[in-house]
Amino acid sequence: MSLLELVDLHTYFRTKRGVVKAVNGVSYRVEAGKTLGVVGESGSGKSVSAMSILRLLDGNGYIHSGKILFEGRDLTKIPMNEMYAIRGNEISVIFQEPMTSLNPVFTIQRQLQEVYRTHQRVSKKAAEEKAVQSLQDVRIPNPETVLRQYPHQLSGGMRQRIMIAMALACEPRVLIADEPTTALDVTIQAQILNLMRDLQTQRGTAILFITHDLGVIREMADSVAVMYCGEVVEMAPVAKIFGDRVISHPYTEGLLESIPRLDTEPGVRLEAIPGSVPHPLNLPKGCKFAPRCKFATPFCREQEPALEEVAPAHSIRCLYPDTEKRRKEIET
């Protein structure tokens, strides 16, 4: 049984213009000790699906239907006081921007100790010792000095390490990493990714890694869920996503073709996906990617495809998943 599983999840937001279906029938699972990468453009529903797990939604957001199963328990049905016990203790989050996630008026010591005192109910002395140890675990030198400092006195990489330390403080079973390396330079990004891998190996933590960076996904993930317009359009082991593209979704193909490669000849422009993600209140009929897809047929614009298994552990939401066949289809 999977440690965490989303089953046909629908998360909506009420707005003055209507109901926004931010997550529309998403299903994926995360295994203990494994990493599931969730990729897609901004507005594809990556973060909303992840925040739904902990029910950390804005006031106008709500889970319309579906299940979120954590060790067999449906998190959409449990009382909020039980949800508070799960947050931080069993499922934790590394948020995208550490500067806005850390409180600027409190020292690192106060913020980190609060995690231990709130969730583990330990004494102030024990919280102090645990805070020092947690910074050592994420390889911060001179932890006693860093604990006395404020967030603005630290670099982006140091702040992100502190966010990881806070997220892992209670040794959660599942770690949600919401674009944890977006604000970091390449060198610090590599250090953070190595740190997360090491901590996962030591603790057997399941990681849900959300990012738009396919290079990071290739390095970190065991399997990948590609999202578009609030739906999973392709799900496969990472080797399949980056291996031979005999069977694939055109959106995944477009994302891969937009990545700079070392073997790209000088002067050759990268291929970009035309257009932009449609507004959630004005979604197209049929396949939601059809208006931007170079392989789209009139049938694609009328018939909405289902997510179907095309090979073992490989599912695609496309009427023409075979790359060769869809190229022939567009030529005829």
Side-chain angles (χ1 to χ4, degrees):
M1 184 176 65
S2 302
L3 186 59
L4 176 69
E5 183 176 5
L6 273 61
V7 182
D8 195 28
L9 179 68
H10 294 73
T11 300
Y12 298 166
F13 290 86
R14 298 183 185 89
T15 70
K16 292 180 179 179
R17 294 179 57 192
V19 175
V20 172
K21 298 179 179 180
V23 175
N24 198 16
V26 167
S27 298
Y28 56 66
R29 60 182 59 185
V30 190
E31 307 285 347
K34 301 291 185 180
T35 299
L36 172 66
V38 182
V39 299
E41 294 171 278
S42 297
S44 61
K46 306 185 304 296
S47 295
V48 175
S49 65
M51 293 305 105
S52 298
I53 295 169
L54 289 174
R55 291 158 63 177
L56 290 173
L57 301 171
D58 291 337
N60 62 333
Y62 62 99
I63 296 174
H64 178 265
S65 62
K67 297 179 180 180
I68 302 172
L69 302 176
F70 175 63
E71 296 184 319
R73 291 177 292 172
D74 188 354
L75 300 186
T76 67
K77 299 289 193 288
I78 66 173
M80 191 52 72
N81 62 331
E82 290 185 31
M83 199 71 235
Y84 292 148
I86 289 173
R87 292 174 182 171
N89 281 322
E90 300 185 72
I91 305 176
S92 196
V93 187
I94 303 172
F95 293 102
Q96 183 171 350
E97 176 48 64
M99 196 60 207
T100 57
S101 301
L102 293 169
N103 194 319
V105 301
F106 294 137
T107 63
I108 300 302
Q109 183 173 36
R110 177 167 176 175
Q111 296 182 65
L112 192 50
Q113 287 182 11
E114 184 180 8
V115 176
Y116 292 107
R117 302 205 68 185
T118 300
H119 291 286
Q120 297 188 347
R121 307 294 181 182
V122 298
S123 65
K124 185 177 180 180
K125 177 67 174 176
E128 290 176 1
E129 294 173 354
K130 285 177 175 287
V132 172
Q133 183 59 51
S134 66
L135 294 192
Q136 291 174 344
D137 290 342
V138 296
R139 301 172 193 165
I140 289 182
N142 304 317
E144 292 84 357
T145 302
V146 172
L147 284 171
R148 294 193 295 271
Q149 295 179 311
Y150 291 85
H152 72 272
Q153 296 176 288
L154 304 173
S155 67
M158 291 282 273
R159 289 195 295 266
Q160 194 60 283
R161 287 170 188 265
I162 289 165
M163 287 300 300
I164 293 174
M166 293 176 71
L168 295 174
C170 301
E171 299 190 6
R173 304 288 307 283
V174 178
L175 177 64
I176 300 171
D178 188 4
E179 305 210 28
T181 60
T182 299
L184 307 178
D185 61 54
V186 177
T187 304
I188 300 300
Q189 174 179 284
Q191 293 175 4
I192 295 297
L193 295 179
N194 287 334
L195 172 63
M196 290 180 68
R197 268 197 305 268
D198 291 345
L199 292 171
Q200 182 182 42
T201 301
Q202 295 167 14
R203 303 183 182 189
T205 308
I207 297 178
L208 181 63
F209 200 104
I210 304 165
T211 183
H212 62 274
D213 191 333
L214 284 169
V216 171
I217 286 296
R218 186 170 191 171
E219 187 176 347
M220 285 292 295
D222 297 290
S223 55
V224 183
V226 182
M227 290 189 64
Y228 186 78
C229 284
E231 298 177 336
V232 173
V233 297
E234 184 167 5
M235 182 173 292
V238 70
K240 276 280 187 185
I241 295 291
F242 292 95
D244 62 82
R245 307 301 298 162
V246 177
I247 301 176
S248 72
H249 194 282
Y251 181 59
T252 309
E253 197 173 297
L255 292 175
L256 290 169
E257 288 175 352
S258 67
I259 301 175
R261 295 169 55 94
L262 292 175
D263 58 359
T264 302
E265 296 182 9
V268 176
R269 298 189 63 173
L270 293 173
E271 186 170 340
I273 301 174
S276 58
V277 178
H279 194 281
L281 288 174
N282 189 28
L283 294 175
K285 185 180 178 182
C287 175
K288 294 179 175 59
F289 186 61
R292 306 176 67 191
C293 180
K294 60 185 177 182
F295 303 110
T297 67
F299 187 44
C300 296
R301 294 181 174 89
E302 294 295 326
Q303 179 68 39
E304 184 172 1
L307 185 67
E308 297 181 345
E309 190 172 66
V310 294
H314 189 183
S315 299
I316 295 178
R317 189 185 297 275
C318 182
L319 298 174
Y320 304 100
D322 187 297
T323 56
E324 190 62 33
K325 286 183 179 180
R326 66 172 170 247
R327 284 183 170 84
K328 289 180 180 178
E329 186 72 25
I330 199 67
E331 290 172 0
T332 57

